[in-house]
Amino acid sequence: MPGAKSTVPVSLQPKSAASYSYGSVDQRNNDDESKRPILGKTKREMGQKEESKELKPHRTFDDELEDQLPETLRRFIWKPMKDHKEIPSLIHPKANKSAIGCTLCLCPFACCCLSQPMVKEGQIGLSWHEDEPMILDQGWHWWLDPFHKFDRAVSLTSQHIQHGPIHLIRVEKGKLGYALDTQTGNPMLLTAGTHYIRKAEFKWGSFLDLSRPVNDLGALKLIRVDRGHIAYYFKEGELMILEPGLHVIAPPDRFGGFVSTQLQLMDLPKQVHESADYVQLAIDADVLYCIVDPKKALLRVDDLPMLIRKTALSTLAGIIRSSHLSEVAGSRKVAYSDTKQKAGEGNHDDLHEASAPSFQQKVHDEFLKELHTYMLNDLGVEISNIRINDLRIADPNLASKISKESIKIAEQEAEYRMLQKEADIRTVRANNQALEIRIKAQADAEKKKILVQAENDTMIETARAEAASITIQSKAKAEAIEILAKSKKVESVLKAEGEQKTILLTAEARRKARVMMGEADEKYAKMVGSTEVGVSLAQLELQKDALKGIGKVAYVPQLPSLLQSKNFEIGKSCKETINN
């Protein structure tokens, strides 16, 4: 209708620009800086501290991939959306068909403004509403708006979809998406999944295959060094070595390249050299080497393989010039002194000449002797081995003559070996006869030795038996004497113990008798001393005992008075004597 305002149904309005998820970027509202994500910030750096309080989920393949990245790149990692339904500007097919039908009935000319695009399953639609990009979900969409134009439908599996400032990027597993924020100059690393980014300063780069040795991140370089190799770069003009792993090199540092530290085979070009006797020899050889000090090798030599090749060729030429044709043609000389050596004759020089090393061994030893120490100490390269593939005379005519001479020498050698074999057979037969005689003589001597040994053993055993019998008899006599002595000793001990017991019993009986006598005398003394008559009788008894055995008596007139004065002491002495 003329003068009517073009309106967009509410269901066709885009979602709010504030609906961000998993690192998606939307810059439609330039005034709302607080809702815009900061470029190069991960979820942890965007203030989501509550995630650290939760239990850590099971580590995924993407987490392990992120851990392998250098620390300087991890802060530029961006996480994907979980589903394309989370796209902030996604419009769902919810148009009001009845309202559109009424509008067409009232204004038949409005059909020219009707749009009804169909977005198939597995696709999304791209449209423009004036200068605003729109993303349509799968389904049938209707709108009456001359300013809303449908652009195209694209597959959801497309790796990169750009619609104005909107970018939908799908990153496969094992890869990273690389983009650049031209506003800050920071790189953006997109992990596996689908990313929605709306930013005018966003510049898509490429997909990074981390299995490649070098990935360019704008001015940065992501270097992958595998085991068995090293990489090198220059930092402030100094050579720096990168060990196995992932590394980032940023300007002004300059990446140099890779160097293999594995064992390498260098095929030397075929060369013709003259021997000491001016015979041209064609040689084909290989050199095995490995770099053990990459820094020394890179600083000292500009073209290391060329130097190794030239040095190896010149060394081989010098070895061949110092060698004679006889050394090259035959590596082992015919030694006619072998029979003498077996017989114990000849000297050690002949044996040493017979076992001379081959020419190839001589080339190997001299080559390593001249180059190994020099290459290792000065260039950091270890020469491990040289392999001679082919060594022949360059002149065909001379080679043919030497071949014929070699045939004659081979025939002579065969004849010599045959004669030597016959001599060996005769020697073996003679040795066998001598050995038979020697064995027979040794058997007779052994027999006599055994008989003599048997007789000696018999005599020794007889003497041992007699000695043992004498020893047993002597031992029996000694034991009998010892038993008799022990019995006498026991008898004397028992007799002494019996006598001792008898003496003890006699002494004990006497002691008891004396005690009983003393007790009786004490009782008697007490009974006698209790009366004066008893005292007198006791005195008389004492006098009687004292006068026993006396034949004569002398009268002393003073004795009675003396006795009378001492009655008390005499009585007292008698009591003491009785008590004792």
Side-chain angles (χ1 to χ4, degrees), residues 13 16 20 48 55 122 135 142 220 296-297 358 418 423 429 435 441 465 548 563:
Q13 294 292 338
S16 173
Y20 305 112
Q48 299 181 1
L55 294 176
I135 299 179
W142 301 74
L220 306 179
K296 184 182 293 184
S358 64
M418 184 63 68
R429 286 177 180 174
L435 181 62
K548 275 185 180 181
L563 295 171

Side-chain angles (χ1 to χ4, degrees), residues 95 97 100 104 111 113-119 136 139-144 148 150:
K97 298 179 182 179
I100 293 175
L104 291 175
C111 63
C113 300
L114 176 64
S115 297
Q116 45 182 357
M118 176 65 180
V119 181
L136 309 178
W140 201 349
H141 296 261
W142 301 74
W143 64 74
L144 283 172
H148 191 181
F150 179 75

Side-chain angles (χ1 to χ4, degrees), residues 10 190 229 298 344 385 430 522:
V10 177
L190 312 179
H229 297 78
L298 291 170
N385 193 9
E522 184 181 4

Side-chain angles (χ1 to χ4, degrees), residues 338-402:
D338 291 347
T339 306
K340 295 182 180 180
Q341 292 293 336
K342 292 181 180 179
E345 302 177 0
N347 52 33
H348 296 283
D349 295 336
D350 297 334
L351 181 62
H352 178 73
E353 185 179 1
S355 58
S358 64
F359 182 72
Q360 286 82 356
Q361 185 65 35
K362 175 187 176 182
V363 172
H364 173 272
D365 296 343
E366 294 189 8
F367 186 87
L368 293 183
K369 181 180 178 180
E370 293 187 17
L371 289 187
H372 183 271
T373 304
Y374 159 69
M375 285 286 184
L376 184 61
N377 295 338
D378 293 358
L379 304 180
V381 178
E382 182 179 9
I383 303 296
S384 302
N385 193 9
I386 180 171
R387 185 176 61 186
I388 307 299
N389 299 324
D390 187 23
L391 179 62
R392 63 181 61 190
I393 299 173
D395 187 357
N397 296 327
L398 181 58
S400 177
K401 292 180 181 179
I402 293 177

Side-chain angles (χ1 to χ4, degrees), residues 39-299:
L39 184 62
K41 299 293 183 179
T42 60
K43 290 171 61 177
R44 294 185 295 272
E45 296 173 331
M46 291 170 64
Q48 299 181 1
K49 297 182 180 180
E50 64 276 1
E51 292 184 359
S52 61
K53 300 179 181 179
E54 300 177 358
L55 294 176
K56 294 183 178 180
H58 179 70
R59 293 183 59 79
T60 62
F61 175 79
D62 294 331
D63 295 332
E64 296 180 358
L65 180 62
E66 293 175 16
D67 292 342
Q68 296 180 21
L69 291 176
E71 188 68 28
T72 54
L73 289 182
R74 294 180 188 175
R75 60 192 184 95
F76 300 119
I77 293 176
W78 287 75
K79 298 291 184 178
M81 299 183 300
K82 292 182 179 179
D83 194 340
H84 75 280
K85 301 289 186 181
E86 299 178 0
I87 297 175
S89 59
L90 185 65
I91 298 177
H92 301 280
K94 296 181 180 179
N96 192 340
K97 298 179 182 179
S98 60
I100 293 175
C102 294
T103 304
L104 291 175
C105 293
L106 295 175
C107 183
F109 299 100
C111 63
C112 62
C113 300
L114 176 64
S115 297
Q116 45 182 357
M118 176 65 180
V119 181
K120 298 180 180 179
E121 184 177 0
Q123 295 181 339
I124 57 173
L126 307 178
S127 64
W128 289 90
H129 185 260
E130 297 181 354
D131 61 346
E132 183 71 19
M134 298 289 181
I135 299 179
L136 309 178
D137 196 6
Q138 59 188 15
W140 201 349
H141 296 261
W142 301 74
W143 64 74
L144 283 172
D145 191 346
F147 301 102
H148 191 181
K149 300 296 182 181
F150 179 75
D151 188 359
R152 67 185 185 279
V154 294
S155 174
L156 285 174
T157 60
S158 300
Q159 291 184 335
H160 180 211
I161 301 173
Q162 183 176 1
H163 186 44
I166 298 176
H167 295 263
L168 287 175
I169 302 171
R170 180 175 175 271
V171 183
E172 299 177 356
K173 287 287 185 181
K175 292 185 178 182
L176 289 177
Y178 164 69
L180 181 66
D181 182 6
T182 58
Q183 182 180 5
T184 61
N186 292 329
M188 300 173 63
L189 299 179
L190 312 179
T191 58
T194 302
H195 297 261
Y196 170 84
I197 299 175
R198 177 165 184 162
K199 186 175 180 66
E201 292 81 8
F202 178 84
K203 180 182 180 181
W204 169 246
S206 61
F207 293 100
L208 304 180
D209 186 359
L210 297 183
S211 63
R212 294 171 54 191
V214 180
N215 284 283
D216 292 328
L217 306 179
L220 306 179
K221 287 186 180 295
L222 179 62
I223 308 300
R224 175 191 176 93
V225 184
D226 295 328
R227 183 70 63 184
H229 297 78
I230 60 97
Y232 63 96
Y233 72 102
F234 295 92
K235 183 178 181 66
E236 297 179 357
E238 294 293 332
L239 179 68
M240 309 298 291
I241 302 297
L242 299 176
E243 298 296 334
L246 291 175
H247 307 272
V248 176
I249 298 177
D253 299 341
R254 180 176 64 84
F255 176 67
F258 295 92
V259 174
S260 175
T261 57
Q262 297 174 332
L263 188 64
Q264 301 182 57
L265 176 66
M266 176 178 288
D267 186 9
L268 299 179
K270 294 182 180 180
Q271 296 286 326
V272 177
H273 305 287
E274 287 186 352
S275 63
D277 42 11
Y278 304 104
V279 177
Q280 292 185 344
L281 299 176
I283 184 170
D284 180 17
D286 298 330
V287 175
L288 291 173
Y289 72 96
C290 65
I291 299 176
V292 295
D293 191 344
K295 194 168 187 179
K296 184 182 293 184
L298 291 170
L299 290 176

